[in-house]
Amino acid sequence: MGANLSQFFLCAITYVSLVFAAILLSDERKSADAGNYDDSISKKAAASNRVASNNECCASCSISTVKLKKCKACNLVRYCNVVCQKNHRPQHKRACKKRAAELRDELLFKQPKSTHQGDCPICLLPMPLDVGKIQMKSCCSILICKGCVLANYSREQEEGIESTCAFCRTPVPKTSTECELNRTKRIEKNDPAAMREEGARCVAEKDFGRALELLTKAAEQGDADAHYQLSVMKHFDASAVKNTKKELYHMEEAAIRGHPGARHNLGCHEWRNGRSERAVKHFIIAAKLGCDDSIQALKQCYVGGDVSKEDFAATLRAHQAAVDATKSLQREAAELAKDHFWFKN
């Protein structure tokens, strides 16, 4: 009887052990399956996020098997063709305009490294903003500071040699007709500087049709001064139809390329329209490039409380540094000699 009872308990214990083992094995399998399922879901979500973030599918029809093109205005979405872009325009229009404006402002309010005139190619010093202190040579359409022009002329006089361009060594033209011929040759080669100078001459002679043609071509090639002159042409041509939008576009393009005058004019425009914060930003950028008019405007803004003491002081220091960078002994000598020295083109 005792032996049978012991055998019974042994069998019961073995059975219970097997049941628990089966339960544990089942739980492990369920856990593994759940983990695999979660991993699968995570991978699919990650893949979906990558597709969304990389714009790998058309924003209108969700096709991803063809080559997609970005929306040129905002770079936020892609489309497989023009039809999809037009169909998606009502949903995308507001976000597109907002992002395009943000991108434009990022570009517009970026501080240029130098002015649109850059450095003198000979002395490598920044060009002064005063156009009376620089000279464009008709033979090569290169801007040279008058300090280098005077130094080259003095060297030629000492050595008794023929006068040549300080940059390209072409003989200096002896008459205005030769200068015009040189400029015409540069225009035929699509030189934007030559087209800009000829356009300015046409404005002075009231030939606004020819001036508009030349300045537009120069602006299309990225000439900052041509953009600026197009933005102020209405002040010279009384018959021109006022187009504020186009004027602002040319003014902004000139400012982006480092034109201090255009930048100052933008600040004045924003100020007149009640956007003092944007106006102050323009004045600060122009002042840091050496623009005296913007410094005077900032003084008024500081008195009115529109610019902080720290920003005003930092701008004053940057303005003085920009002005000092354009000074040299040669340029000072040229300034003293300007009354009795003929700077030939």
Side-chain angles (χ1 to χ4, degrees):
M1 181 70 180
N4 292 335
L5 187 60
S6 298
Q7 188 175 6
F8 171 77
F9 278 115
L10 181 63
C11 291
I13 291 171
T14 303
Y15 175 76
V16 171
S17 299
L18 291 173
V19 170
F20 275 112
I23 291 172
L24 290 174
L25 182 61
S26 176
D27 288 343
E28 289 178 358
R29 287 178 177 175
K30 288 180 180 180
S31 178
D33 292 340
N36 292 335
Y37 178 76
D38 290 342
D39 290 342
S40 177
I41 293 297
S42 299
K43 290 179 180 179
K44 289 181 179 179
S48 177
N49 290 336
R50 283 197 300 272
V51 170
S53 63
N54 293 331
N55 293 323
E56 294 177 354
C57 62
C58 176
S60 179
C61 64
S62 301
I63 290 178
S64 59
T65 57
V66 297
K67 186 176 181 180
L68 304 174
K69 295 183 178 180
K70 287 183 179 179
C71 174
K72 292 182 179 179
C74 65
N75 293 330
L76 289 176
V77 293
R78 296 172 184 259
Y79 299 101
C80 56
N81 53 50
V82 177
V83 175
C84 281
Q85 186 172 7
K86 289 182 179 179
N87 292 338
H88 191 251
R89 182 62 181 170
Q91 293 86 1
H92 178 58
K93 183 177 181 179
R94 180 176 296 180
C96 182
K97 284 188 174 181
K98 181 180 178 181
R99 182 55 181 161
E102 291 173 353
L103 291 174
R104 182 66 173 178
D105 279 353
E106 288 178 8
L107 182 62
L108 182 60
F109 289 108
K110 185 178 179 181
Q111 180 72 44
K113 294 181 180 179
S114 65
T115 67
H116 63 295
Q117 293 170 344
D119 300 338
C120 174
I122 298 177
C123 65
L124 303 181
L125 293 177
M127 287 289 195
L129 295 185
D130 185 356
V131 294
K133 296 181 180 181
I134 58 179
Q135 187 180 58
M136 194 187 83
K137 312 303 289 186
S138 62
C139 50
C140 54
S141 298
I142 296 295
L143 286 174
I144 302 173
C145 74
K146 287 191 174 178
C148 290
V149 175
L150 178 60
N152 182 61
Y153 175 78
S154 300
R155 179 187 61 83
E156 291 168 345
Q157 292 300 307
E158 290 176 3
E159 298 178 3
I161 58 178
E162 182 184 13
S163 294
T164 59
C165 171
F167 182 78
C168 67
R169 299 305 180 190
T170 300
V172 174
K174 295 179 174 59
T175 63
S176 59
T177 303
E178 291 183 21
C179 290
E180 293 177 4
L181 181 60
N182 287 339
R183 190 179 299 118
T184 301
K185 291 179 179 178
R186 299 302 303 175
I187 292 173
E188 291 174 352
K189 295 181 180 180
N190 290 322
D191 188 322
M195 288 189 283
R196 180 195 68 230
E197 289 298 308
E198 182 66 15
R201 188 186 67 80
C202 291
V203 170
E205 295 179 356
K206 308 297 184 182
D207 186 0
F208 296 111
R210 177 63 173 165
L212 181 62
E213 178 188 354
L214 290 169
L215 292 174
T216 301
K217 288 182 178 179
E220 288 173 352
Q221 296 187 48
D223 189 272
D225 214 0
H227 277 293
Y228 175 71
Q229 292 188 41
L230 285 170
S231 72
V232 298
M233 267 194 69
K234 66 180 180 65
H235 298 296
F236 302 97
D237 186 4
S239 63
V241 178
K242 186 173 181 179
N243 190 333
T244 304
K245 186 176 180 180
K246 185 175 290 186
E247 291 170 10
L248 285 176
Y249 166 76
H250 288 298
M251 207 177 294
E252 288 181 356
E253 288 297 313
I256 289 170
R257 288 164 173 79
H259 197 295
R263 179 73 66 177
H264 177 77
N265 288 351
L266 276 177
C268 294
H269 171 79
E270 297 289 3
W271 187 269
R272 287 193 298 268
N273 286 276
R275 295 187 285 266
S276 59
E277 184 178 349
R278 293 174 65 88
V280 167
K281 287 182 180 180
H282 285 304
F283 290 146
I284 288 176
I285 293 173
K288 288 182 177 180
L289 292 173
C291 181
D292 294 333
D293 291 337
S294 290
I295 280 291
Q296 297 302 319
L298 282 174
K299 286 181 181 179
Q300 299 299 320
C301 294
Y302 175 66
V303 172
D306 294 294
V307 60
S308 67
K309 181 179 180 180
E310 293 76 13
D311 289 342
F312 184 51
T315 305
L316 282 173
R317 290 191 294 269
H319 172 267
Q320 190 60 48
V323 173
D324 291 342
T326 65
K327 295 180 179 179
S328 71
L329 294 176
Q330 286 184 355
R331 293 179 180 181
E332 290 176 5
E335 185 67 14
L336 293 174
K338 67 179 181 181
D339 293 332
H340 54 82
F341 177 74
W342 180 39
F343 290 95
K344 299 179 181 180
N345 290 319

